[in-house]
Every structure is written in structure tokens, then in C-alpha cells.
């Protein structure tokens, strides 16, 4: 990758579990366990997964809000993995974060002007026209009235608060923005406003986004490439089109097929992949392939050998022994009754006009590299 | 006879800042075995309605007027004690957040047993057996062991299943689910939606599902009611709402939502502005400050409150635009933009 702005290699974060007075470590929650990806300048990378998959932790590691256990984070040519607070501070101008909850991420005792102006103060940035003018310009940019400068957060609605948060993020013209569930706390009609705002800002200011979200439709709308996480690992990473049209990992297939579709005519003929049970605890994840306990395609090898995240010629990366939509998917052996029904469901889904995530088997023309 | 019927229900809360008209003249009816989806943004009055039906505003500050008929009985004028005997047995509720809806000090089993024994004169052991059966019915593995677990020992999906078991334990004829899957992950949400669909078929209950997620509504509902600022603004079958929506707010909701089942559109089409405060509901049509088509009503939208009128075959719309204008706007201006070229 020539112009990758952010490069994450084998990133790990293990939260220790301690016991007793001496804080003896008895275990670790492997929240993020070997995640690697690159973010190219100007693109949007979506990180999706269910709760507990480590997507938020990944975001916090990149912004260095928490200290990584292992791996490497390279931002704009600097290795920031273990950079000291003092040395990383100047770089923080360039990496900013949008938080999920616009109620808890704004200090209720500070005015909007103080909140959005804080980055200038902290970084010691002097602007030609003065901080107030600069803040008011940013407020206008995110669709707020510059006269709101002296108001407090409680005077605003949820959507407006999220705009204040975005304004703060943009204050110092960052290069990379990590948005952790930027719209999930908002009402449907407001969500769309904020999604459009994020897109406009990206075009205007040439921003690069890492968007962390659990809503697969929102992620499809704003991302150029999407990484799917499961229990601390990336199981699939591909450009938007191939991930949503010919997903290869069974988990991605299941996720896409679980999304409720707002079309009452579809619900009768739509066959779904149903995963059993919940996501296992990251405290004690299943060995080898972490998805094998819930996977309908799992075979013996899945519980013994961990499938590596392999890149195909098309750039589609997947970590699975028996991927869907693979070049040789016709040859994949199917065993067990559960597997047969699931396979049938897949085919039924593929036949019914383009139900999400279920292209006909073999549609993906990717070849292994 | 209709099983549940609301006639001009109003639930207002006096506050220091003024009167909050959470529900302002709501009427609908529901048959046994049918599912009604109530859709709306936060503050549209959907949850207040459901609590009102269950009689949970009684004794509080709320001012309630109108009528709620449940199986031939009027509930607004009924005493709190009487409604209490119906709650659990005749009607039950599934709450959004199972962790705060269950008592953390008691086992899941104890909470189901308690509900069952209030309405049935049976021994503890019989009730316990019934609780185990219910947990089994909603798909909790090893129900005979799990009955003695505490809520915190369950995962989010299992807790929601246990809540459903509790709600169904007395075989209610009306079940109200308030955002039943909002707190859940998408794969677990799919399991719960399947479960609710199966259970409704088996129990033949009337189901009201309250949510802001149009996808969830489309999965379950026969009929859909769209609420805005305490009023119903559109009502129809789910085909009416998704195929031939006629209210500008419903168009806005559909345009705001990225869809996985369609080609990706370049832009979402959000509704401008924010939902109104329920203390100062805008004059005339409550939606007019956010509506793009208000200027085509000849000024009526800012002065007159529109009435909920039938458009075609039971499809009700509260809008000043004429039916023909609405249908032509939908066909020519809205629908083409919802689909990518």
C-alpha cells in the first residue's frame, strides 16, 4: 500500500483479569487479538460486528486512548504504538474521534464555544481571526447556527449534540477520524442527516474515516471497504460491493441474512440463516476458528486449525476453511443435517431476487493468490 | 367484536414547563391473532400509549381521557385494582431492556412463578414446573437448571427470552412488545423475531409491537400505525405503508433509511429539522415545519390541524394534501429517488 494513512498490524489488546490482594493475573479478555488492516487516504473503512467483538476497542487503540498489548500502529509514517503522551500530542491533531453518545461525550458545564474551542486551546493553535471566529465557522460547517456559541449542550437535541461533537472533531482539520457508532443513538430521520453530513465533510475536507458500527445497512451506505469482526478478530475484509454481494465468511452471510428487511412482501419467501445461541465470551473464546461453535459448515479442522486471513487476487480477505462464494465452492463437502438445511437456505436466498448477502454459489469470481 | 379498541385516547402530563401532550387523540382497533406495528421517533407517544393500555399511568400525574375497550371492557374508567387483575393474565408487556425490567435479586424462575401464582391458585411446585415449561418454550437451553439462575447470569438474548416467557406465562390475549429487540445484536434479534412470530401463531394473541425500526415492523406486522407528536398520522396494512405510503413523514422515514435489499443509493433523503417538543406542538399540522410539501396545501398546513381521513380501503392519512396529489408525489418524486438508478 503506497499511500496508506493508517496501518495496523497484528494489533492486540488483552485486558487482564486479576484476583486477590496481590492482583495475581488469572486470565485475560482478548478483546482484540491480532487485527491487521490498512486505511488508504480519503477512504472510509467500516468495522462491523456484534457487541463484544472488539470493534470499539480497536478504535480506542488506534486513537491511543488505551495502550495496545501487542502489534503495531503506523499513522502517517509514524509508529505510534507505544509513543509517549508528550510525543503523541502533536499527532493527536490529526487523529480525532466521534463518540457514540452525544449526551455523555459533551461536558454539560461547558458552552458549545468552550467545547469546540478546546482543541485549539489544548494544542495551542492560534488562528488568524481568533478562536471564536474559527469555532463559529466550524459550527456553520456542521449545520449549526454560529449564534449557538454561548449555549450549553442541554439546550440541544440529540442530533444537534452529535453535530457539536463532530464540530469538535473537525476543529483542527484532522486527517483521520474514528467514528464509533456515530449515529446509533439518534432517531431514524436524524441518522440520515448525520450520515449525509459525514459524507459531505469527507468530500469537502478530504477526510479519512474509520467508521465503527453494528448497523450493516448504515455501514454499507458510508463505507468503501468493510471489515467484519468476530470475537477480537477480523474474519472478512473486502470492498463494499464484494462484501455485500458475495460475502465469503459464513458469519458475514449470517449477519447479512439476519438484518430485517423493510419489505413485507419479502418476508414470506425469505429463507434465513439462523445462528444458534449467542456470541461466546471473549474471556474463553473457542479454539482455532472462533466461529466454529455456531457455524453450520464447521468440520473437524475448524476446531483444530485456525484459518488465517487470506487475501484473494481481488483483494477480498477471508479467514475461513470453507468460504462461501469461493472459486471452488461446488467442491466444498457438506456434512450433517444442519449443514444441508443451511446450504439450502443459502441457495433459496440466492434464487429469490438478490436477498442481501446471498449471491448464488460460485458467483464470486475471485481466485486464491 | 373487535378485541382491542382505542377511541380518542389522550394522555397528557402536567409539568412545570407546561402540558405535555404525549398522546393526543389516538384511535385504532386490533383483532385477536393480528399484529399491529406502531412506528415513530422518540417522543412520538408510542411507549406512553402502551403503558396507557396496560393502565400503568393510573395513580400517577397523567390526565387520561378517551376510551380503551379490551374484550368488551372499558379500561380508562376502570379502577386501578381491576386493571391490575387483568395485567399479566389478559394483557402483558415485553419491555425493551430486560436487565432493568427484571429484578436482580430474584432468580428468573422466582419472577415467573410469582407472576403465575398471582393469577392461578396453584402450589409453588406446580408453578415452578410451569415456569420451566415456559423457559423451554422460548428456547432456553437446560430450562430445569436455568430456572434457578439470576438475570445477570443470562446473556442479553436469553434475558429477552426469559422476559417473553414471563409475559406469556399466564397466556395473555394481548401482548405489547416495546422495542423488544433494540438492545440486541442483529443475529439474536433475528432469533427473537422468529420466536415472537411462532409464539403468536401458537397462542393466537393480539400483538402490538412498538419500534422505531421499520425493518422489524415489516417482519412482523399485519397493520402499521405511524405516530408523530402524539397523533396517528398514517395507518394501513403493511403493504399500504411500504408500497403506497401517503404521508410526507412516512416518505421521510423511508428515505432516511439505508436499505440492504436495494441497490445502494448515493444519498439518503433525510427529513429536515428535528421532532417537535410536545409542549409546543407546532400550530396546524404538527409536521409542517419539517414538511417539503406544505406550500402545496394553500396555507392550510400552518393554520388547520388535519384530520385522519380514509384514502383508500382502510388506509388512513392525516394530511392536507389531496389524495391524488399525494399519490402523484409518491410515484413521481419520492419513489424513484428511493431506488438507485
Amino acid at each position: 500500500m503506497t499511500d496508506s494513512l493508517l496501518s495496523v498490524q497484528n494489533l492486540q489488546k488483552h485486558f487482564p483479569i486479576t484476583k486477590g490482594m496481590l492482583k495475581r493475573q488469572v486470565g485475560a479478555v482478548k478483546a482484540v487479538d491480532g487485527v491487521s488492516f490498512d486505511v488508504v487516504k480519503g477512504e472510509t473503512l467500516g468495522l462491523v460486528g456484534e457487541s463484544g467483538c472488539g470493534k470499539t476497542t480497536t478504535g480506542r487503540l488506534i486513537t491511543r486512548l488505551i495502550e495496545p498489548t501487542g502489534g503495531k500502529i503506523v499513522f502517517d509514517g509514524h509508529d505510534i504504538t507505544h509513543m509517549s503522551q508528550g510525543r503523541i500530542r502533536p499527532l493527536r491533531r490529526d487523529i480525532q474521534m466521534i463518540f457514540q453518545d452525544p449526551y455523555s461525550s459533551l461536558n454539560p458545564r461547558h458552552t458549545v464555544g468552550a467545547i469546540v474551542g478546546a482543541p485549539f486551546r489544548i494544542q495551542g493553535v492560534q488562528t488568524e481571526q481568533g478562536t471564536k471566529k474559527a469555532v463559529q465557522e466550524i459550527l456553520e460547517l456542521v449545520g449549526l447556527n454560529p449564534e449557538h456559541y454561548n449555549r450549553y449542550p442541554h439546550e440541544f437535541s440529540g442530533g444537534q449534540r452529535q453535530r457539536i461533537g463532530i464540530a469538535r472533531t473537525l476543529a483542527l482539520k484532522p486527517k483521520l477520524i474514528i467514528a464509533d457508532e456515530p449515529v446509533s443513538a439518534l432517531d431514524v430521520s436524524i441518522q440520515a442527516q448525520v450520515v449525509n453530513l459525514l459524507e459531505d465533510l469527507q468530500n469537502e475536507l478530504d477526510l479519512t474515516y474509520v467508521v465503527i458500527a453494528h448497523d450493516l445497512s448504515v455501514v454499507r451506505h458510508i463505507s468503501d471497504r468493510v471489515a467484519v469482526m468476530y470475537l477480537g478478530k477480523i474474519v472478512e475484509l473486502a470492498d463494499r460491493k464484494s462484501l455485500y454481494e458475495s460475502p465469503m465468511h459464513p458469519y458475514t452471510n449470517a449477519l447479512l441474512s439476519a438484518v430485517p428487511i423493510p419489505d413485507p412482501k419479502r418476508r414470506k419467501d425469505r429463507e434465513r440463516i439462523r445462528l444458534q445461541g449467542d456470541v461466546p465470551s471473549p474471556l474463553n473464546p473457542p479454539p482455532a476458528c472462533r466461529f466454529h461453535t455456531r457455524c453450520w459448515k464447521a468440520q473437524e479442522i475448524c476446531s483444530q486449525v485456525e484459518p488465517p486471513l487470506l487475501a484473494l487476487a481481488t483483494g477480498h480477505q477471508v479467514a475461513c476453511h470453507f468460504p462461501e462464494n469461493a472459486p471452488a465452492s461446488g467442491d466444498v463437502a457438506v456434512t450433517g443435517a444442519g449443514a444441508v438445511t443451511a446450504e439450502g437456505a443459502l441457495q433459496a436466498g440466492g434464487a429469490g431476487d438478490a436477498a442481501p448477502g446471498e449471491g448464488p454459489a460460485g458467483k464470486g469470481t475471485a481466485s486464491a493468490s | 367484536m373487535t378485541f382491542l379498541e382505542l377511541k380518542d385516547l389522550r394522555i397528557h402530563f402536567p409539568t412545570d414547563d407546561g402540558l405535555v401532550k404525549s398522546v393526543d387523540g389516538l384511535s385504532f382497533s386490533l383483532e385477536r391473532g393480528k399484529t399491529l406495528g406502531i412506528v415513530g421517533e422518540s417522543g412520538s407517544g408510542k411507549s406512553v400509549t402502551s403503558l396507557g393500555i396496560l393502565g400503568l399511568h393510573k395513580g400517577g400525574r397523567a390526565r387520561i381521557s378517551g376510551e380503551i375497550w379490551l374484550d368488551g371492557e372499558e379500561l380508562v374508567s376502570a379502577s386501578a385494582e381491576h386493571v391490575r387483575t387483568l395485567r399479566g393474565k389478559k394483557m402483558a408487556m415485553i419491555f425493551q431492556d430486560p436487565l432493568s425490567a427484571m429484578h436482580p435479586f430474584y432468580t428468573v424462575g422466582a419472577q415467573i412463578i410469582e407472576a403465575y401464582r398471582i393469577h392461578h391458585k396453584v402450589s409453588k411446585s406446580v408453578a415452578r414446573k410451569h415456569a420451566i415449561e415456559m423457559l423451554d418454550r422460548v428456547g432456553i437451553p437446560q430450562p430445569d437448571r436455568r430456572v434457578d439462575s439470576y438475570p445477570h447470569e443470562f446473556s442479553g438474548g436469553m434475558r429477552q427470552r426469559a422476559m417473553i416467557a414471563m409475559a406469556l406465562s399466564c397466556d395473555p390475549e394481548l401482548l405489547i412488545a416495546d422495542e423488544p429487540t433494540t438492545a440486541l445484536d442483529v443475529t439474536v434479534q433475528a432469533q427473537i423475531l422468529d420466536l415472537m412470530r411462532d409464539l403468536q401463531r401458537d397462542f393466537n394473541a393480539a400483538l402490538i409491537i412498538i419500534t422505531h425500526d421499520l425493518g422489524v415492523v415489516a417482519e412482523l406486522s399485519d397493520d402499521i400505525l405511524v405516530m408523530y407528536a402524539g397523533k396517528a398520522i398514517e395507518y394501513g396494512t403493511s403493504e399500504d405503508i411500504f408500497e403506497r405510503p401517503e404521508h410526507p413523514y412516512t416518505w421521510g422515514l423511508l428515505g432516511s433509511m439505508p436499505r440492504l435489499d436495494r441497490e445502494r443509493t448515493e444519498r439518503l433523503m433525510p427529513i429536515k429539522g428535528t421532532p417537535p417538543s410536545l409542549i409546543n406542538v407546532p400550530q396546524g399540522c404538527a409536521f409542517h415545519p419539517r414538511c417539503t410539501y406544505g406550500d402545496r396545501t394553500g396555507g392550510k398546513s400552518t393554520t388547520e390541524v388535519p384530520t385522519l381521513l380514509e384514502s383508500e380501503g382502510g388506509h388512513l392519512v392525516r394530511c392536507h394534501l389531496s389524495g391524488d396529489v399525494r399519490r402523484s408525489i409518491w410515484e413521481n418524486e419520492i419513489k424513484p429517488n428511493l431506488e438507485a438508478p
Side-chain angles (χ1 to χ4, degrees):
Chain A
M1 296 263 173
T2 42
D3 48 355
S4 75
L5 181 66
L6 173 76
S7 171
V8 172
Q9 288 148 31
N10 196 27
L11 191 63
Q12 290 175 324
K13 179 67 193 176
H14 298 176
F15 293 102
I17 298 163
T18 53
K19 212 176 173 182
M21 258 182 31
L22 296 172
K23 301 264 185 226
R24 185 165 47 91
Q25 186 173 340
V26 291
V29 177
K30 296 179 178 174
V32 174
D33 202 19
V35 162
S36 306
F37 58 84
D38 283 287
V39 184
V40 183
K41 204 163 179 324
E43 77 164 350
T44 303
L45 176 76
L47 271 184
V48 277
E50 296 181 278
S51 43
C53 72
K55 53 189 194 301
T56 294
T57 307
T58 306
R60 297 199 168 166
L61 287 170
I62 297 169
T63 44
R64 281 291 312 279
L65 292 177
I66 47 179
E67 193 66 26
T69 311
K72 198 170 165 194
I73 308 165
V74 179
F75 171 75
D76 208 12
H78 306 270
D79 182 347
I80 59 166
T81 323
H82 297 291
M83 209 179 247
S84 69
Q85 286 300 335
R87 288 191 52 216
I88 201 172
R89 174 142 289 167
L91 284 173
R92 288 206 186 275
R93 294 179 61 157
D94 295 331
I95 315 175
Q96 291 285 330
M97 190 150 183
I98 300 173
F99 294 94
Q100 171 171 12
D101 183 356
Y103 290 85
S104 59
S105 58
L106 302 178
N107 189 332
R109 299 176 61 160
H110 286 187
T111 61
V112 170
I115 290 169
V116 180
F120 293 101
R121 188 166 45 77
I122 293 167
Q123 292 282 352
V125 175
Q126 302 292 329
T127 49
E128 286 172 33
Q129 350 77 305
T131 306
K132 181 168 179 181
K133 196 93 183 60
V135 168
Q136 287 181 328
E137 264 170 28
I138 297 160
L139 289 178
E140 209 160 358
L141 185 68
V142 298
L144 290 168
N145 192 332
E147 285 157 25
H148 291 162
Y149 187 83
N150 281 321
R151 296 219 198 149
Y152 288 90
H154 74 261
E155 298 175 65
F156 294 91
S157 67
Q160 286 175 312
R161 284 173 190 232
Q162 197 60 306
R163 286 175 194 264
I164 298 171
I166 293 173
R168 175 175 59 188
T169 313
L170 294 174
L172 299 176
K173 305 208 166 30
K175 292 179 181 155
L176 175 69
I177 291 181
I178 315 285
D180 189 359
E181 303 273 9
V183 298
S184 65
L186 307 174
D187 269 321
V188 191
S189 69
I190 310 298
Q191 273 192 7
Q193 293 174 1
V194 173
V195 166
N196 281 352
L197 174 68
L198 288 174
E199 285 182 340
D200 292 343
L201 292 172
Q202 179 166 41
N203 294 336
E204 256 171 71
L205 306 174
D206 194 22
L207 299 169
T208 308
Y209 289 136
V210 173
V211 176
I212 299 164
H214 70 279
D215 186 327
L216 288 134
S217 14
V218 169
V219 167
R220 183 179 83 154
H221 189 85
I222 52 181
S223 307
D224 300 308
R225 289 191 304 140
V226 180
V228 181
M229 289 188 70
Y230 187 76
L231 279 176
K233 284 189 188 295
I234 291 179
V235 295
E236 186 162 6
L237 200 168
D239 62 275
R240 171 181 70 223
K241 201 169 158 60
S242 42
L243 189 106
Y244 281 88
E245 285 174 13
S246 46
M248 295 177 73
H249 200 282
Y251 178 61
T252 314
N253 275 294
L255 267 185
L256 287 172
S257 118
V259 175
I261 295 300
D263 186 350
K265 278 190 303 191
R266 243 343 136 58
R267 72 179 161 201
K268 273 144 204 129
D269 49 64
R270 191 160 163 248
E271 285 295 325
R272 286 254 197 75
I273 306 168
R274 282 286 176 267
L275 291 185
Q276 297 300 309
D278 296 306
V279 182
S281 154
L283 182 58
N284 194 8
C289 175
R290 295 185 168 189
F291 186 58
H292 82 262
T293 51
R294 297 172 85 196
C295 184
W296 63 93
K297 291 185 118 187
Q299 297 187 25
E300 226 179 311
I301 184 171
C302 299
S303 55
Q304 288 159 354
V305 183
E306 181 174 342
L309 187 67
L310 288 178
L312 307 185
T314 50
H316 200 128
Q317 299 177 40
V318 61
C320 181
H321 290 298
F322 307 104
E324 305 278 345
N325 294 316
S329 67
D331 304 331
V332 174
V334 179
T335 51
V340 172
T341 48
E343 192 77 339
L346 268 181
Q347 246 117 50
D353 52 334
E358 290 144 4
K363 182 173 152 197
T365 46
S367 58
S369 57
Chain B
M1 189 182 61
T2 47
F3 176 64
L4 173 73
E5 188 167 13
L6 266 62
K7 288 183 188 165
D8 197 33
L9 182 71
R10 286 166 203 271
I11 304 178
H12 296 174
F13 297 91
T15 66
D16 292 344
D17 299 324
L19 192 65
V20 177
K21 297 176 177 173
S22 292
V23 180
D24 202 28
L26 185 67
S27 308
F28 65 81
S29 59
L30 181 62
E31 305 286 342
R32 276 195 183 82
K34 292 283 182 190
T35 303
L36 173 73
I38 301 183
V39 196
E41 294 180 272
S42 40
S44 61
K46 46 196 201 312
S47 294
V48 172
T49 306
S50 63
L51 297 176
I53 296 171
L54 286 171
L56 291 172
H57 293 306
K58 281 178 188 292
R61 279 224 260 178
R63 291 188 196 147
I64 309 173
S65 67
E67 295 166 33
I68 300 171
W69 290 90
L70 179 72
D71 206 11
E73 264 187 278
E74 210 286 305
L75 299 185
V76 172
S77 57
S79 71
E81 292 76 49
H82 180 64
V83 176
R84 188 183 166 130
T85 62
L86 300 176
R87 210 156 41 221
K89 193 169 168 60
K90 193 102 186 172
M91 51 191 184
M93 180 137 175
I94 300 169
F95 291 92
Q96 173 172 4
D97 178 5
L99 193 58
S100 54
M102 288 181 134
H103 200 297
F105 284 7
Y106 295 98
T107 63
V108 169
Q111 298 182 54
I112 301 177
I113 291 167
E114 183 196 9
Y116 190 66
R117 288 190 77 213
I118 285 175
H119 296 288
H120 298 83
K121 294 282 159 269
V122 294
S123 69
K124 267 191 185 160
S125 62
V126 172
R128 185 185 154 87
K129 225 183 198 163
H130 181 73
I132 293 171
E133 251 169 51
M134 288 312 301
L135 289 176
D136 190 33
R137 184 70 194 76
V138 297
I140 300 236
Q142 300 174 294
D144 46 335
R145 278 186 44 213
R146 288 311 218 149
V147 73
D148 294 319
S149 302
Y150 288 90
H152 75 265
E153 295 174 282
F154 277 23
S155 67
M158 277 167 68
R159 258 181 237 138
Q160 197 56 287
R161 282 170 195 268
M163 276 273 296
I164 295 175
M166 199 188 297
L168 290 175
S169 65
C170 295
D171 209 353
E173 291 164 77
L174 170 66
L175 188 61
I176 301 177
D178 189 357
E179 303 270 6
T181 58
T182 308
L184 304 176
D185 276 321
V186 59
T187 57
V188 180
Q189 163 172 288
Q191 296 168 7
I192 298 291
L193 292 181
D194 277 352
L195 173 70
M196 293 191 33
R197 195 179 298 132
D198 291 350
L199 291 173
Q200 193 205 11
R201 204 179 44 226
D202 298 356
F203 288 77
N204 197 36
L207 178 65
I208 297 179
I209 177 152
I210 293 168
T211 175
H212 66 277
D213 186 332
L214 290 165
V216 170
V217 171
E219 293 278 336
L220 290 177
S221 313
D222 300 302
D223 294 328
I224 295 173
L225 177 75
V226 185
M227 284 187 78
Y228 189 78
K231 287 187 162 66
I233 53 114
E234 186 161 7
Y235 175 86
T237 61
S238 40
E239 279 78 15
D240 285 339
I241 302 295
F242 284 101
E243 308 284 317
R244 309 173 279 281
E246 291 198 17
H247 198 286
Y249 177 64
T250 316
W251 299 337
L253 286 182
L254 291 170
S256 299
M257 191 179 47
R259 292 178 64 152
L260 278 185
D261 59 332
R262 301 244 172 101
E263 284 292 310
R264 178 180 173 274
T265 51
E266 272 309 310
R267 289 291 278 181
L268 295 175
M269 303 205 306
I271 309 173
K272 63 181 182 190
T274 49
S277 138
L278 292 172
I279 295 173
N280 285 316
V281 178
Q283 287 270 309
C285 174
F287 186 61
H288 86 259
R290 305 179 72 190
C291 185
T292 331
Y293 307 98
D295 51 351
R296 303 192 201 182
T297 59
K300 274 204 290 188
S301 70
T302 50
T303 51
E304 252 175 78
V305 178
T307 40
L308 193 64
L309 294 175
E310 179 157 351
S311 161
E312 284 176 309
H315 186 172
L316 307 177
V317 188
R318 188 189 291 276
C319 184
H320 283 308
L321 298 170
S322 75
D324 291 335
V325 172
R326 291 194 304 254
R327 281 186 282 275
S328 117
I329 293 175
W330 166 250
E331 284 298 331
N332 303 319
E333 296 177 38
I334 309 289
K335 200 174 163 192
N337 286 325
L338 295 183
E339 282 157 28

